Amino acid sequence: MHTCMEGGAQLGTCLPNFYLLPDHQSMPLPPPLQLPCHPKLLQMSFDHEDQPGIHGVMLCSDHCGLYPLPALPLGSSGAAAASVTLGKPSTAAGSMPNIGAEEVATSVNKAGNESTACNGSTTWWRGSTMVVAGEKGKMKIRRKMREPRFCFQTRSEVDVLDDGYKWRKYGQKVVKNSLHPRSYFRCTHSNCRVKKWVERLSTDCRMVITTYEGRHTHSPCDDNTSCEHTNCFSSF
DNA sequence: CGGCTTTGACCCGCGC
DNA sequence: GCGCGGGTCAAAGCCG
């Protein structure tokens, strides 16, 4: 698979890793994030030496390459979903950025049971809190809402993959046990609260970890810059 | 001039 | 209760 396109930060055009699923994980799952191209499910069967019966599952797009299926709950060992990639288990704790495999797992579980749309009036995570900022007398309302999260890896020269949506960076943070800062992005579309954050693997700086939180309330074409992808997005 | 990025400060959850 | 670390805010600066 050598589908990297020139000048490409196109999501899926670079070699992705993918998360491994236990054999019993049932498919399909609700499409967790709106990928730029209509994906097909591809199930690749191979045995992992430590976890026989585990399958790698990827999403395949007709002309945008392969997509990894976002991280999924693994029952008793959710962390394994994020720590085992490409059939190669990570050896050291912390070698994988702590983008929250457990949290992903929990999120997906909950997402299956509750409505967590972007306008979510219900939330699985402690509702909301209100915080009074002391200094300037401003009232801050920080919503402690968590949306379903999905993460995947791609091998890319650039940090930010073009997934068809328009993102605004709102923060960057150096995280512990990582050589590379994590960048935080928010969808610029009004009323869309989808966030993503991007960081590079400390153990392999070519690997980009992208985590999405929430679901878009619009098609990528609503973001003015992406109409070249029009053909891809019709039916998500 | 508007939109975006940068970056330090702030807030909060969690573990000890 | 305290400290650490992650996530977010928002002012300032940059750029087209």
Side-chain angles (χ1 to χ4, degrees):
Chain A
M1 188 165 56
H2 50 86
T3 54
C4 286
M5 294 164 60
E6 297 166 334
Q10 296 282 334
L11 178 60
T13 58
C14 295
L15 178 67
N17 274 348
F18 49 89
Y19 298 102
L20 300 175
L21 301 174
D23 208 14
H24 62 269
Q25 286 293 335
S26 60
M27 303 299 281
L29 291 160
L33 61 126
Q34 292 155 352
L35 294 168
C37 298
H38 196 69
K40 296 175 181 175
L41 182 64
L42 231 184
Q43 185 149 6
M44 303 170 62
S45 178
F46 60 90
D47 287 337
H48 185 265
E49 54 184 351
D50 294 332
Q51 296 171 280
I54 285 183
H55 289 181
V57 179
M58 304 178 77
L59 295 177
C60 177
S61 163
D62 282 328
H63 52 95
C64 288
L66 291 169
Y67 295 94
L69 190 75
L72 293 166
L74 276 181
S76 59
S77 59
S83 63
V84 181
T85 58
L86 211 57
K88 182 174 58 179
S90 70
T91 52
S95 64
M96 186 76 181
N98 56 341
I99 44 187
E102 280 185 42
E103 192 161 1
V104 170
T106 308
S107 300
V108 175
N109 279 336
K110 292 288 184 175
N113 298 329
E114 300 177 26
S115 169
T116 54
C118 288
N119 60 352
S121 56
T122 63
T123 175
W124 59 272
W125 198 74
R126 302 195 186 181
S128 58
T129 60
M130 185 158 54
V131 177
V132 178
E135 218 176 71
K136 299 173 185 175
K138 289 181 181 176
M139 186 81 77
K140 286 184 182 178
I141 300 178
R142 176 167 296 184
R143 298 181 197 280
K144 288 300 172 184
M145 314 273 272
R146 290 293 173 93
E147 309 284 352
R149 289 181 178 179
F150 308 94
C151 60
F152 54 88
Q153 294 185 47
T154 54
R155 181 170 296 163
S156 174
E157 297 298 318
V158 298
D159 291 336
V160 183
L161 305 173
D162 179 9
D163 55 7
Y165 295 92
K166 193 175 179 183
W167 301 93
R168 174 180 299 169
K169 189 175 184 176
Y170 67 90
Q172 181 171 305
K173 188 86 173 180
V174 174
V175 294
K176 197 179 180 184
N177 296 324
S178 178
L179 300 175
H180 308 284
R182 177 182 298 169
S183 297
Y184 298 89
F185 297 88
R186 182 175 293 149
C187 183
T188 60
H189 193 272
S190 58
N191 299 324
C192 183
R193 288 168 36 203
V194 177
K195 289 177 283 188
K196 74 172 180 180
W197 51 98
V198 176
E199 66 183 293
R200 289 188 177 272
L201 266 182
S202 57
T203 54
D204 184 356
C205 63
R206 295 168 302 178
M207 299 304 298
V208 178
I209 310 295
T210 305
T211 303
Y212 288 84
E213 182 177 294
R215 292 186 67 173
H216 291 281
T217 60
H218 58 99
S219 70
C221 284
D222 290 347
D223 289 333
N224 50 16
T225 60
S226 305
C227 286
E228 66 208 56
H229 299 292
T230 301
N231 296 336
C232 303
F233 301 114
S234 54
S235 60
F236 236 105

